Amino acid sequence: MQQSAVPELAHTHARPIHWLATATALAGVVAASAFLQPDAATAAQTGRGAQTAPAATAPPDPNRVDYPVECGPTKVVVQQKVSGDLDGDGRPETVAVVHCDAIAGAPPSGVYVLTQAADATEPRIVATLVDPKERLTVTDFALRDATVTANLLGYSSPDVPRCCPDVDERAKWQWKNGAFVRSVPAGAQSV
């Protein structure tokens, strides 16, 4: 083995003072980061027409509503729910997809908009977007930018078996001029 002609450098050997300096610098960085925290994160709808409700206002609870759905001996089940300020009044509404708790098959869905006044103890239905009498099943249900969207599965005639919907339609609802207006999103197609 050949010996180096250059003497060993002092900084290649860690001494206790080096470890002390490194620990002091690291403690300073950690202490400084405790004072430089980012602002608290908040979740909110974004985009045109989106409104955020005050943090103290809870959205209506869809499980506390008596829905106008005839289920016979079974009960009504809240399948899906979304909440947000749909009408721009600063208070959140809840949109609930409900159906009868059937043992088999695909019972038709109902879609209802719920609100709750500040002094009320129970929420109430203010709009029906899909009536169960339409015999539609709701899928791909969402709320974005104060717009409710859903995929509606249905039947072209009474002869189509209830297991196999043959109509597939996209729909969206927006609050306009004091009512929820239904339209078909761009690019929506029927099967």
Side-chain angles (χ1 to χ4, degrees), residues 104-179:
S109 302
V111 180
Y112 301 96
V113 179
L114 314 174
T115 191
Q116 186 166 346
D119 58 349
T121 58
E122 299 294 323
R124 63 185 177 92
I125 297 172
V126 292
T128 301
L129 305 182
V130 176
D131 191 317
K133 293 176 186 173
E134 296 177 62
R135 303 181 65 100
L136 297 170
T137 302
V138 175
T139 62
D140 297 330
F141 178 68
L143 170 63
R144 178 172 293 174
D145 296 333
T147 300
V148 177
T149 59
N151 203 47
L152 306 174
L153 303 178
Y155 306 92
S156 60
S157 77
D159 298 329
V160 176
R162 304 310 302 165
C163 68
C164 311
D166 64 340
V167 175
D168 185 352
E169 178 184 1
R170 294 285 302 157
K172 73 176 184 176
W173 295 267
Q174 288 180 299
W175 182 259
K176 292 182 180 177
N177 301 321

Side-chain angles (χ1 to χ4, degrees), residues 32-153:
S33 69
F35 293 107
L36 301 173
Q37 294 294 319
D39 291 337
T42 58
Q45 294 180 356
T46 59
R48 184 178 65 87
Q51 299 287 327
T52 56
T57 304
D61 181 356
N63 294 311
R64 298 182 63 176
V65 174
D66 186 22
Y67 296 96
V69 179
E70 181 57 45
C71 290
T74 64
K75 64 180 181 170
V76 175
V77 175
V78 176
Q79 178 184 356
Q80 297 178 51
K81 66 177 181 173
V82 293
S83 296
D85 184 6
L86 302 176
D87 58 5
D89 67 353
R91 298 186 57 82
E93 287 79 31
T94 297
V95 184
V97 178
V98 302
H99 62 80
C100 294
D101 190 15
I103 295 172
S109 302
V111 180
Y112 301 96
V113 179
L114 314 174
T115 191
Q116 186 166 346
D119 58 349
T121 58
E122 299 294 323
R124 63 185 177 92
I125 297 172
V126 292
T128 301
L129 305 182
V130 176
D131 191 317
K133 293 176 186 173
E134 296 177 62
R135 303 181 65 100
L136 297 170
T137 302
V138 175
T139 62
D140 297 330
F141 178 68
L143 170 63
R144 178 172 293 174
D145 296 333
T147 300
V148 177
T149 59
N151 203 47
L152 306 174
L153 303 178

Side-chain angles (χ1 to χ4, degrees), residues 15-28:
R15 294 202 167 103
I17 191 71
H18 292 116
W19 289 111
L20 182 61
T22 302
T24 303
L26 183 59

